[in-house]
Amino acid sequence: MRTIIEPFRIKSVDPIVMTTREERERHLREADYNLFKIPARAVMIDLLTDSGTGAMSAEQWAAIMRGDESYAGSPSFFVLKEAVKRRFGFDEFMPVHQGRAAERILFHLLGGPGKVILGNTHFDTTRANIEMSGAEAVDIPVASALDPSRDEPFKGNIDIEKLKLTIRARGAVNISALIMTITNNAVGGQPVSLANLRAAREICHANGIPLFLDAARFAENAYLAKLRDPELSSLTIAEIVLKYFEPCDGFLLSAKKDALCHVGGLLGIRDPELAARARTMLVVTEGFPTYGGLAGRDLEAMARGLEEAIDFTYLAYRAAVTSYISHGLITLGVPHVRPPGLHAIYIDAGKFLPHIPPGEFPGHALAVELYRIAGVRGCEIGSLMRGDNCTLQLLRLAIPRRGYTQSHMDYLLEAFEDIVKKRGDIRGYRIVDEPPALRHFTARIAPIGNLSVARPPVTQVSH
Ligand SMILES: Cc1ncc(COP(=O)(O)O)c(C=O)c1O
């Protein structure tokens, strides 16, 4: 199908401010070439993140009006409790203000110097919270995750053989958890198979290591699993979601993604003793256990969002958007992570701009160019975000949920038509100064003036 029928009508609009190229040049200079520092009003299409940027439904806004703001025992908490039980099979959970609050609580308890936390690939805030506790974060992705052009169904998986070897090498007593992130955001929003999750669970349990899900995109993972795993094809999304949560000792969830909220998160822990310690921290740093870091209305919006997230028509529409962009990029010869996930397109900037070495941030260079040409904001996921040892240099174009239409995506593809023509002129960047953690959010960055190294000619990139 050429035309995507967005499965919603627009009832309330948020105007886009049209900017000129000159205005955008000025914004870039004033923001020290850091796109996080550009005012959102100066962005025409904001694909920086899919986190908290979606449109809530009429039913969610109605639920917000039902929100009860009692400090303790709010009925809104019990509405959410029922939804969490129904969708994830967990009796107990803690609301938190967003995903990283759950990370801070969990890794404060499980981390610390000498401890190791394994993962299929830790998201940047997860890694930062692990490292801030003094523990070490170790990623064990499958090899295909590091090859954007390889078209495999479950590139979000953990490498099971390497998992066994790592446990043996580090010693099971030093490993305090395995975090399986579904979908695996850091490698391109790729899904994890149920077989892989279960195999990881077997190994963890044999070694006394708890297994946690980072379930921010639980519904998108379930949708892709239904399409790609013949054993799951006859199940509903709701049934598949339950199967993923069943083997886990706990979960962390940023409700700003699949739960279709603007704020919020959840922490679920099955072990009552660990849960009690987490609840103590929750009370100290987030809030009373029946609201965590949220207002009662946020709990209601989340309960409703958990229901809407598993709607097959909605998920199929999400998939149609990213495959539409992917096809357009293939036609233009722009390499990107294949097959595309649902929440974002990841351009392989390292391959698209081979004249810019990783240390000069090709993903960031492409992000700046896209903003300059078209006012579209994306996010580098490469050496700037993940440090010098990062193998993939990506530009992520995240798709806010229910926020943009097909014509916005056509405009994006037109911008790439322009970029393809002039990509040989795009220059690298250097960091002027940076904070000690999560540098990409606030670093001051500058274009590299003179071409410092001899650059190979740019050749046509094929997939
Ligand atoms: C996989 C994953 N885990 C955790 C987080 C952190 O969640 P939050 O932004 O709500 O703190 C994110 C946010 O993008 C994420 O994608």
Side-chain angles (χ1 to χ4, degrees):
M1 283 287 202
R2 252 184 314 116
T3 305
I4 300 168
I5 302 283
E6 286 90 7
F8 48 81
R9 286 181 298 183
I10 297 165
K11 197 170 192 172
S12 158
V13 296
D14 200 3
I16 291 175
V17 178
M18 302 294 171
T19 52
T20 63
R21 186 179 169 122
E22 288 66 39
E23 287 165 341
R24 296 193 291 269
E25 286 286 2
R26 179 173 52 79
H27 284 300
L28 282 169
R29 281 194 304 275
E30 288 173 2
D32 301 312
Y33 294 90
N34 186 331
L35 296 177
F36 281 95
K37 295 202 243 173
I38 291 196
R41 275 284 163 229
V43 176
M44 283 160 60
I45 297 184
D46 206 347
L47 308 183
L48 185 70
T49 177
D50 63 320
S51 180
T53 53
M56 287 208 290
S57 67
E59 285 301 324
Q60 281 180 292
W61 287 112
I64 275 183
M65 289 307 294
R66 286 194 296 273
D68 180 288
E69 304 306 336
S70 304
Y71 188 94
S74 160
S76 300
F77 173 76
F78 294 102
V79 170
L80 180 59
K81 188 172 160 72
E82 255 180 50
V84 169
K85 172 74 180 163
R86 186 165 56 244
R87 293 295 154 231
F88 303 146
F90 271 65
D91 291 314
E92 297 296 334
F93 70 96
M94 286 155 247
V96 289
H97 80 274
Q98 64 181 85
R100 69 198 72 182
E103 291 166 358
R104 180 175 45 80
I105 292 173
L106 188 68
F107 301 126
H108 176 84
L109 299 174
L110 295 182
K115 292 291 178 195
V116 179
I117 316 272
L118 307 177
N120 51 345
T121 316
H122 296 294
F123 183 66
D124 62 343
T125 58
T126 322
R127 170 172 286 276
N129 273 293
I130 292 169
E131 289 174 352
M132 264 194 157
S133 81
E136 190 187 345
V138 175
D139 294 335
I140 316 177
V142 285
S144 62
L146 303 176
D147 181 352
S149 60
R150 238 164 85 193
D151 210 328
E152 280 181 21
F154 291 106
K155 288 164 76 173
N157 282 351
I158 192 163
D159 186 323
I160 293 293
E161 283 315 305
K162 272 201 197 142
L163 173 63
K164 287 184 202 157
L165 290 174
T166 310
I167 294 173
R168 209 171 305 143
R170 297 304 191 98
V173 286
N174 300 315
I175 300 174
S176 32
L178 168 65
I179 313 291
M180 289 292 283
T181 301
I182 62 167
T183 56
N184 192 340
N185 187 4
V187 303
Q190 299 294 316
V192 171
S193 74
L194 188 59
N196 185 257
L197 183 71
R198 286 178 172 164
R201 191 266 308 260
E202 289 305 309
I203 295 163
C204 282
H205 284 194
N207 287 281
I209 300 168
L211 169 65
F212 283 78
L213 274 190
D214 178 344
R217 298 181 181 81
F218 67 95
E220 295 180 355
N221 200 95
Y223 175 83
L224 292 170
K226 179 176 169 69
L227 259 56
R228 296 176 189 176
D229 182 345
E231 302 228 334
L232 301 179
S233 61
S234 61
L235 301 185
T236 63
I237 300 292
E239 288 165 340
I240 297 171
V241 169
L242 280 171
K243 285 196 179 295
Y244 273 79
F245 277 74
E246 185 271 326
C248 299
D249 298 296
F251 71 93
L252 308 120
L253 182 146
S254 165
K256 300 170 75 174
K257 283 80 175 177
D258 278 359
L260 291 159
C261 290
H262 296 150
V263 72
L266 297 173
L267 174 59
I269 301 176
R270 288 200 207 273
D271 172 14
E273 194 264 330
L274 185 63
R277 288 168 62 213
R279 207 162 283 118
T280 303
M281 267 202 78
L282 182 83
V283 175
V284 175
T285 62
E286 288 285 301
F288 188 76
T290 59
Y291 73 85
L294 296 172
R297 57 179 171 269
D298 302 322
L299 306 177
E300 294 270 357
M302 202 192 307
R304 178 68 206 166
L306 292 178
E307 300 304 317
E308 294 180 10
I310 56 165
D311 178 69
F312 186 83
T313 309
Y314 155 73
L315 289 165
Y317 140 76
R318 288 268 304 150
V321 173
T322 48
S323 22
Y324 181 78
I325 304 169
S326 173
H327 279 112
L329 292 174
I330 291 169
T331 312
L332 294 170
V334 179
H336 54 283
V337 173
R338 307 268 296 278
L342 265 61
H343 82 285
I345 290 285
Y346 292 70
I347 311 280
D348 185 350
K351 198 167 175 191
F352 184 64
L353 302 174
H355 56 292
I356 304 180
E360 294 181 9
F361 313 125
H364 181 71
L366 187 56
V368 170
E369 201 52 33
L370 184 60
Y371 176 74
R372 179 181 283 127
I373 285 189
V376 177
R377 176 159 67 171
C379 178
E380 190 258 16
I381 300 200
S383 297
L384 181 60
M385 177 189 275
R386 311 204 83 219
D388 297 335
N389 298 327
C390 182
T391 25
L392 287 180
Q393 304 300 323
L394 304 173
L395 166 63
R396 186 183 74 175
L397 303 172
I399 314 298
R401 291 168 179 78
R402 310 186 286 206
Y404 291 106
T405 63
Q406 188 174 9
S407 54
H408 292 109
M409 299 306 130
D410 283 332
Y411 174 80
L412 168 72
L413 290 171
E414 280 170 28
F416 269 97
E417 249 173 78
D418 252 27
I419 291 176
V420 164
K421 286 182 206 140
K422 54 171 300 200
R423 67 179 160 185
D425 301 332
I426 299 175
R427 289 175 298 162
Y429 284 78
R430 67 185 169 83
I431 292 179
V432 178
D433 61 50
E434 59 181 293
L438 297 178
R439 68 181 181 181
H440 57 290
F441 286 137
T442 52
R444 290 171 59 221
I445 303 164
I448 293 175
N450 299 316
L451 302 185
S452 51
V453 283
R455 284 143 204 270
V458 177
T459 47
Q460 190 62 36
V461 176
S462 62
H463 286 279

